[in-house]
Amino acid sequence: MALFSVTLPVIAILDEKLFVGHAVGHIDRTGSIELLSVLKPKVRCTGRFRYTSLQTGVADMRCDDGVAATLAFDALGVFSGHGHGSTPKGPASFTFGLDYKEAARHLTLPDGTRLAETLEGLRLQSAGSSEGSR
């Protein structure tokens, strides 16, 4: 199956926490998602996705800390897209195949925050803060 698969970066917001990782998509339009919390790397989320039409699909994710989400997604291109859904505590969103600047346009960020690339990697920062940005 590896000959007919692609690995893409994933950025997600689940329960107002930032997760990063990757998705592996297969030629049959299904795949897996693996994410780690940026602040608590021991918190891992895994999931599956599948396309339900040419441009849309659904992803299910479960995290070690009990968070679970089902998200509908839209493809922006062959290897990129974004999705939205919810957890019991609030909105959930994710992007795949996008750099962090483009991803920020599609993610549901917690109120008063922005997505920033810092020396430590991606972080949620106060919208007024420029500290640590590259």
Side-chain angles (χ1 to χ4, degrees):
M1 187 71 90
L3 287 176
F4 301 106
S5 65
V6 62
T7 301
L8 300 167
V10 174
I11 302 170
I13 305 290
L14 304 168
D15 276 356
E16 297 192 344
K17 296 177 195 104
L18 178 62
F19 291 81
V20 296
H22 65 274
V24 177
H26 305 292
I27 197 167
D28 67 357
R29 300 172 53 81
T30 66
S32 60
I33 301 169
E34 207 168 307
L35 304 170
L36 294 176
S37 166
V38 298
L39 294 181
K40 295 181 181 178
K42 291 185 180 188
V43 177
R44 182 173 164 245
C45 303
T46 58
R48 311 270 325 145
F49 70 88
R50 65 183 167 83
Y51 279 83
T52 55
S53 75
L54 288 176
Q55 296 277 338
T56 62
V58 65
D60 293 304
M61 291 188 236
R62 287 206 181 284
C63 303
D64 295 340
D65 63 358
V67 173
T70 298
L71 304 101
F73 67 85
D74 294 309
L76 295 172
V78 176
F79 299 119
S80 64
H82 61 90
H84 294 85
S86 64
T87 71
K89 292 184 181 178
S93 59
F94 79 109
T95 64
F96 58 94
L98 300 176
D99 66 37
Y100 86 95
K101 289 180 183 177
E102 181 67 18
R105 295 183 199 137
H106 299 283
L107 292 168
T108 304
L109 300 174
D111 288 342
T113 65
R114 68 183 182 91
L115 189 60
E117 187 174 52
T118 70
L119 295 175
E120 294 81 30
L122 288 181
R123 296 291 187 267
L124 291 175
Q125 291 185 336
S126 170
S129 171
S130 63
E131 181 183 323
S133 300
R134 288 187 196 177

